[in-house]
Amino acid sequence: MADSKYLVGVFDDGDELLHAVEDIRHQGVKIHEAYTPFAVHGLDRALGYSFPRMGVAAFLFGITGTCCALLLTFWTMGVDWPINIGGKNFFPFPTNIPIVFELTVLLAAFGMSFTFFFMEDMGPTAKPIIFDVRSTDDKFVLAIDLAKNKLSEGDISKILKESGASEVNVKEV
C-alpha cells in the first residue's frame, strides 16, 4: 500500500510553471516540489524557499582547512622536525601559502559535497521519487502532496488545470 498520494501537474513551459506556482500558492495550496529540465529564474522565490546557507558551510569548512593547514605546516616545520635551512626561521609563512590554499579548497569542496548529500538525503541507500520521467527532458512538473493540503483532490486538480497544466496525474508513492 502506498504511503503518500501526490497530484502531479505537467506544464509545457517554464514561464507557465512559474506563474502557476504563484497562483497556486496564492490560493493556499502547499506545493511539495517543482521539477524542471533546466533552471527557471525566480522559481525558488515563487516556491517560498529561503536564502540557501551553503555559503556558510563553505566558509566554515574553508576556515577549518586553513587552520588545519597552518597547524600542519607549523607543527612539521617548527616543532616536530625543525631544520635550519639557509639561516631562515623555522616557520616561513610565504612558503606555506600554496599548502594553506590547497587544503582550504580541498576541505571546503569535500565539506560542501558531503553537506549537500546529507541535507538532500542523497546517500547510497536513498531511493529517488520520480514523478514524471519527462521532467528531465522537456516537461515541467509540479508535485503537490495531498496529505498536506486542506483542499480536495478535485479542487487542486481544477486549480492546476486553470493555471495552465497540460495534464494532471495522480502518483502514489
Side-chain angles (χ1 to χ4, degrees), residues 6 23 33 53 59-60 77 87 114 125 141 147 151:
Y6 292 90
D23 293 341
E33 188 62 82
R53 293 183 292 268
F59 177 75
L60 293 175
M77 294 182 72
F114 291 133
T125 60
V141 175
L151 296 174

Side-chain angles (χ1 to χ4, degrees), residues 11-90:
F11 294 85
D12 294 324
D13 185 42
D15 291 331
E16 286 179 3
L17 174 72
L18 184 60
H19 296 301
V21 166
E22 293 168 351
D23 293 341
I24 291 168
R25 286 196 69 220
H26 182 66
Q27 295 185 26
V29 177
K30 295 178 183 170
I31 298 171
H32 173 69
E33 188 62 82
Y35 300 93
T36 63
F38 54 83
V40 176
H41 181 71
L43 186 60
D44 53 345
R45 283 188 299 279
L47 286 168
Y49 292 153
S50 61
F51 186 76
R53 293 183 292 268
M54 188 60 87
V56 175
F59 177 75
L60 293 175
F61 283 116
I63 288 295
T64 304
T66 301
C67 292
C68 288
L70 288 172
L71 182 66
L72 171 76
T73 56
F74 173 73
W75 177 258
T76 55
M77 294 182 72
V79 176
D80 188 39
W81 196 264
I83 299 176
N84 190 347
I85 302 172
K88 297 179 182 174
N89 59 4
F90 291 122

Side-chain angles (χ1 to χ4, degrees), residues 74-151:
F74 173 73
W75 177 258
T76 55
M77 294 182 72
V79 176
D80 188 39
W81 196 264
I83 299 176
N84 190 347
I85 302 172
K88 297 179 182 174
N89 59 4
F90 291 122
F91 187 64
F93 184 71
T95 59
N96 296 327
I97 288 176
I99 297 166
V100 171
F101 174 76
E102 291 298 329
L103 211 57
T104 299
V105 171
L106 179 73
L107 275 168
F110 279 135
M112 283 192 323
S113 298
F114 291 133
T115 301
F116 178 74
F117 286 135
F118 177 74
M119 295 304 292
E120 297 300 322
D121 194 26
M122 294 177 63
T125 60
K127 184 178 178 230
I129 301 171
I130 300 173
F131 290 101
D132 195 316
V133 294
R134 297 173 295 173
S135 66
T136 61
D137 187 23
D138 63 346
K139 297 292 182 187
F140 299 83
V141 175
L142 191 62
I144 298 171
D145 190 355
L146 293 173
K148 294 182 180 178
N149 284 289
K150 295 178 183 176
L151 296 174

